[in-house]
Amino acid sequence: MRQNAKHLFLVISKWLGLFHLARLFTGKALRILCYHGFAFRDEADFRPMLFMTPATFDRRLRFLARHRFPILRLEDALHRLNQNDLPRGATVITIDDGFYGVYREAAPRLQAYGFPATTYVTTYYAQKQVPIFRLAVQYLFWRTALPSIRFHDQAWIRNQEVKLTDPEDNKRATWEIIDHGEKHCNEEQCQRIAEEL
């Protein structure tokens, strides 16, 4: 409901020309566009606030190119900001976490437009080469088509039968497993839980 109200507000603001006005008033400021993940399967359906479809990213890059926003490297933008020498509409693109979709989906698109971007890679996961436990558990519970699941003698979940079609039961089981893993397990144990799931 909140997302719908926000989207409606943005559509009305754009229709009224407020975006154009905002661009005029903030033309000398530095814009920083922050992204996270890029979907190459169904990730955008799973977490639309975390993962973006390649088509949406394409539209945004086209918009920046069409309106000739100067896209700067972060380091250059900060230097020019300190020198009070930013071009009008200066924009920086940053991408957090370093999910695989950044390499597979975002990088080729950025390269096609000649746009630089700064990616913050989570070194822990890059070194460990394992999925993010919390996200993996949430995805598995979201993705399954099973109506219910029965666990047998698992220390990481109390209720052995979970009705996956019941949103409350699904959510409770998801967070019970995540909490157990994050509070009582090391990384290797968390990955074993994810593999069993």
Side-chain angles (χ1 to χ4, degrees):
M1 183 70 176
R2 231 165 142 187
Q3 276 304 109
N4 292 340
K6 180 181 176 183
H7 186 259
L8 181 62
F9 172 76
L10 292 172
V11 168
I12 291 169
S13 296
K14 185 177 180 182
W15 183 74
L16 291 173
L18 297 180
F19 283 12
H20 181 69
L21 222 72
R23 259 203 325 253
L24 286 174
F25 287 126
T26 63
K28 293 188 177 186
L30 177 62
R31 291 165 173 76
I32 300 179
L33 304 178
C34 305
Y35 295 98
H36 278 274
F38 298 87
F40 56 92
R41 290 196 184 122
D42 55 2
E43 298 91 347
D45 295 327
F46 163 59
R47 286 284 184 274
M49 299 302 289
L50 184 61
F51 295 100
M52 177 177 284
T53 66
T56 299
F57 194 52
D58 277 334
R59 280 195 307 275
R60 291 186 178 186
L61 295 178
R62 256 193 324 272
F63 177 86
L64 293 169
R66 187 173 59 245
H67 292 281
R68 295 195 170 111
F69 282 88
I71 310 300
L72 306 176
R73 291 180 337 126
L74 179 60
E75 183 181 355
D76 297 338
L78 293 176
H79 176 73
R80 293 182 74 172
L81 182 65
N82 285 333
Q83 300 296 316
N84 200 23
D85 181 37
L86 282 174
R88 189 162 187 80
T91 303
V92 168
I93 297 172
T94 66
I95 307 168
D96 286 351
D97 301 328
F99 287 112
Y100 175 68
V102 175
Y103 168 76
R104 179 175 161 166
E105 300 297 340
R109 288 167 170 81
L110 289 162
Q111 191 172 25
Y113 282 95
F115 290 166
T118 298
T119 300
Y120 300 98
V121 177
T122 308
T123 52
Y124 177 86
Y125 289 103
Q127 290 172 347
K128 294 283 186 183
Q129 294 289 302
V130 295
I132 300 168
F133 177 69
R134 172 184 291 226
L135 208 53
V137 172
Q138 290 172 326
Y139 178 78
L140 290 167
F141 271 87
W142 172 82
R143 185 71 176 92
T144 185
L146 294 173
S148 65
I149 189 165
R150 184 158 187 73
F151 296 100
H152 298 284
D153 301 321
Q154 301 297 347
W156 35 267
I157 188 163
R158 284 187 303 274
N159 190 352
Q160 300 299 300
E161 177 130 19
V162 179
K163 291 185 177 120
L164 298 169
T165 52
D166 177 351
E168 286 304 311
D169 205 23
N170 190 316
K171 182 178 177 181
R172 181 203 50 74
T174 300
W175 283 102
E176 185 178 329
I177 293 168
I178 291 169
D179 287 343
H180 177 84
E182 291 179 350
K183 290 177 183 167
H184 306 291
C185 300
N186 62 29
E187 188 64 55
E188 191 179 316
Q189 292 167 324
C190 284
Q191 294 310 312
R192 277 204 300 271
I193 293 170
E195 285 170 16
E196 286 186 53
L197 281 175

